[in-house]
Structures are given as C-alpha cells and as structure tokens.
Amino acid sequence: MCGIVGYVGKKSTAEILLNGLSKLEYRGYDSAGIALNLPSGMKVFKANGKLHNLKNVMTENIAAGSGIGHIRWATHGGASEVNAHPHSCNCGSLVLVHNGIIENFQELKDELTGCGCVFKSQTDTEVIAHLVAREFEKVKDLKTAVINSIKCLKGAFALCVMHNDVQDTIVVAKRNAPLVLGVGNGENYIASDIPAIIEYTKSAIYLDDNQIGVVSADEIKIYDASGNLLTSKVENLPFEPQALSKMGYKHYMLKEIHEQSDVIRNILAASPELQLKKFDRIQIIACGTSLHAALVGKYVIEDLAGIPVDVEASSEFIYRSTIINENTLVIGISQSGETADTITAIKQVKEKGAKVLIVTNRPDSTMARLADNLFPIEAGIEVSVAATKSYMAQLIAMYLLGILLAKDAEKAAVIKAELSQLPAKVEMILNNSTAIAEIARKYSNFKNFIFIARGINYPSALEGALKLKEISYINATGYSAGELKHGPIAMLDESMPVLAFLSEGIVYDKVLSNCQEAKARQAKLIAVTNVENSTHQGLFDDIIQIPHVSDMLSPTLNAVVLQLLAYYIAEFLGKDVDQPRNLAKSVTVE
Ligand code: F6R
C-alpha cells in the first residue's frame, strides 16, 4: 500500500526516483509524485493516475542532490492530484511522503488549523508535514523535529522528510510499515521495498519500528525514539534484478503462472528443517489468497497429522476473544509478509504465549522478523498483483508441513513421492493453455460466474472466484457444491456459468450430482476434472481435462487452471491484468 523511494547522491535523482516508483507500482497506482530538494527551493511534481502520467509532466532534466517519490493507494481522500504525495507545509520548504494511516489525524488537523496551518488535501499525511515543519521552526534540526513529531502520531507510518534548509539529506522514520535503506558508495537509497533499489545496491539496512534514519550521500545514521545513535546492521539483499523482467511474456501474471513448475521444484529442494515446540492445536491466520492456501492446509494437516486446525481471516481474528495459549501453534501465511491484519494478529498471539510459524515468500519481511519459526516458500519475487505462484508455493508448504507432522509415515511417504511428480503435471496443463484460453474466450462476456467444489477443493472454488473477480471484475462467487441447493441455486439459469472442480476422491460422486442439479436449471456447466467418465460429455458444456493426482494434491493442478482461466478472461476483456483497479499487492493498512 503506497510505495516510497528516496535518493541522495550524484546520479540523476529524478531518473532513480521514477525508475524506483515503476518497480513499486504493485503497491498502488492512484497517483504519483516526486519532490527534488534544490538550493533554489523545493521542486514538486504530481500527477493523478498511473506513473506514466507523472513521467509526462516531468519533461525537464533537473539536477538535484536529493529527492523523494511516492506512489499512492488512496485511503484518506480520493485519487486526485491534490491528494498525491509529496505533501508540504504552508510555505513549501518541508515536503514528505508517507505510507500508512494516521489514526489521530483529525485531532491533529484541528489543532494545526487552529495554529494557522492551511490544509490543501484531504489526506491524513498532510498533518505530518505541518507537524514536522512546526517542530523544525522550534528546534531548527530536522532529525529532532521528526523525533518530536512522531511521538504525537497514532497509527502506522513510513516517512521520508526533506527540508529546503537541509540540503542533500533525507530524514526517515517508521512504525508498522516497511522501510529499507539501500547502502551505496557515495550515494544512498530509501524504499518501501527492495525491487525499487535492487538494481543499484545489494546492501541494505532495515529500519525497525520507532527508529529514525538520517540519510546523506556518505552515511546513514540510525537513532532510537529518544535520539540515541544506534549501531546499524547492513544486510545482503536476497533478490536478483532479472526477477523483475517479464521475460517475453505479455504480463507478469502469465510469466508467474508459467514459473510454477520450477517454484514447486525449488520449495521441494529447499524444504526447511523446522524445530517446532510441543503444541496441541494449530491456528492459521491469513488473508485473501493466502487464506485459501490456509484452508487447504487445514484439510492436509488434520488428515495427515490428526491435529485440530482452525483457520480464520486475520482481519476477523484480531477483533474477538480468541482462545490461544502456549500450547497453540499459530501459523501466519503471507506472500508479502507485510499484510497489516496478519501482523497485528501475530503480535496479539505472541502476547498470549503462542509460538508463531510464518510461511512467507519474503524472508526479509516484518512477519519473518516476528517469527519463532520461518518457512520461506521460495517462489521468487511476485510482481503481478494477483497472487499465483506464491499460492502454489504456499500449498506445497502446507503439504510439507503435513508430512513433517504426519502420524502415519507410510501415508506421508506416498504424498511426498507424489509431490515430486507434480512439476511435470503442472507443465502438462501449461502446455494445454491454448485450449483453456479458448474456453476463457467463450465465457468472457458473462457477467456472473459460480465456482463449486467440495472437500479439499472447496478452497479452489473460493480461489477461482477471487482470481476471476479481482482481475476481470466479473461478479464471481465460490460455493461449497453441497451448499448450492440451500439458496444460491435460485440464481441459476442459462446466463450463469457454473465451473465445477471435479476431482477423483471421496466427494467426486457428490459434486457430480450437484452438477446435475445445476444442469437441470439450464446453467452453463464447465468441468475441471482429472476423471475420464463418459457421463461428463452429456452433462458439461465444456471440459478441461487435467492430469491425474490424488484428492489431497488436486488443489495444486486446479490452481493452475483457475489462474489461466482468470488470466485469459481478463486479457480478452482488455483489463489491466497486472495492476487491477483498486488493488495493491502489499496491504499494509488494516
Ligand atoms: C489475491 C491476492 C490477495 C492477497 C492478500 C494477502 O490475488 O493477492 O488476496 O493474497 O492481500 O496478501 P499476503 O499473502 O501478502 O498476506
């Protein structure tokens, strides 16, 4: 949610900021802006909408020793040029960019307005600009002004602040929002996330909550909230710049779908040694697609290990009395490791004494840093906003965890052997993607969609619907097939396609009967199936035949199909596949 970039050094600051923002577009794309600190005054450029609009207004090549940039995902105040960051104080000599939400902004705004501050935007961020500027007037030191100001802030923030009286320096601070400082040679970088800086440096300092950084070209100094100088730890960044290329695919999403066979190979090869403390139940918390992986995990772990597993959306988990204690293993699943709801939930359960295992694609993330045990899923950086390969890797992590905790070693060995066959089967589906694209074309003009499944594929129905709606904006819902007759069946007629995941296993016959019920109401029926049965021909309008796997592993292959279908439907509709409207990849606000 919102991306921040900063640079101090001798290179073209504007170019570095624009390039960095282009790598952070997955964090938001409602507006963009840049401020350059020139001896003659601050130069601020802003544009509503996507980053290319900002590039269009930045036609001059202006040399500056320091600058900050921002890409916005709107929270307070709509998407507009006036609400775009950087925001400034009355006289414009102080500018700042912010990621997060200031919960007490209204109270601060009222007070600052009373002191003569004039607000130009509807954002919560602008209060910080006025607040720091007022402090700066008093103490004449930017670092102290930031330290004093953040004491008044409630909520989450990652900030970059510049003042025109302090050339070639950026002051940064953070609480509950990510910020990384890239260490260069005679230059330094700031970013919300590594992709913005990885092509310039592989060394970085991660700022902790309530720390303040003073970044100049030659040094980075880190202070605690009382202004004491701290020793900072420089770490090696984990990514290669080439991970950020589309490698000839039209979209990152398609590339990432095609990477899934290798993703499975990588995670199987890396499977970590986990030393888990004794526990008697498991609670999994996650959001969105990661929540669907968690639901599959419940089936897998309960079946293989016989341990009770509860799964809940983090955003629901945090606002009720939960029964968690030192005998509960809490598993947080998150691609980004930065999802605010899940971070809050993890902090809560840690206070109750639970041990936390984090399953994430970002071993450098906030969640990873909170973990008692870490399970990195090795999917490689995922750029497209819609999660695909990270979902696959999360599913495999659930199987590996089930195997690790299994009571029946023989059953676990069978699943393990079957996992090693998966990459080849995923490739078989990918090689058949033209047939899936044809079916996608046929259904791309329907306004509504229903996905059904039962058992371990119920989460596949949920994920199928989520993927379709988030990138094509088609109204799609996932139901457990058995629930259809308890209400949703009322919606069925020839205008409603129903896609059924029909995998061999305990619920196959039941799902087939539920499909018959849908057919009797004239619904268009699509099967995604690994069963060859002549009754399918008469029943389904379209059949996507996939390789055979056991019931337990079937969500993996179904995932590839649902991703390809969603991708091709969105692509036929001409949607912005990698950056769907209103979304952001890293959801750092509650
Ligand atoms: C959907 C999607 C989101 C995320 C959700 C959680 O394609 O990407 O639903 O799964 O925002 O994000 P993470 O996994 O980063 O915690």
Side-chain angles (χ1 to χ4, degrees), residues 11 87 118 225 247 295 344 389 391 395 411 471 528 549 577:
K11 290 188 189 141
H87 289 288
V118 180
M247 308 290 278
L295 287 169
T344 306
K389 63 176 180 172
Y391 178 60
L395 292 180
K411 193 169 173 182
I471 60 168
V528 178
V549 276
V577 173

Side-chain angles (χ1 to χ4, degrees), residues 15-26:
E15 224 173 87
I16 287 173
L17 297 179
L18 284 173
N19 187 35
L21 291 179
S22 74
K23 303 292 171 14
L24 296 182
E25 271 199 293
Y26 68 86

Side-chain angles (χ1 to χ4, degrees), residues 287-290 333-337 339 385-387 394 466-467 470 587:
C287 303
T289 290
S290 299
I333 307 182
S334 173
Q335 186 287 128
S336 63
T339 301
V385 164
Q394 289 167 346
L466 175 64
K467 213 86 303 171
E470 72 176 323
V587 187

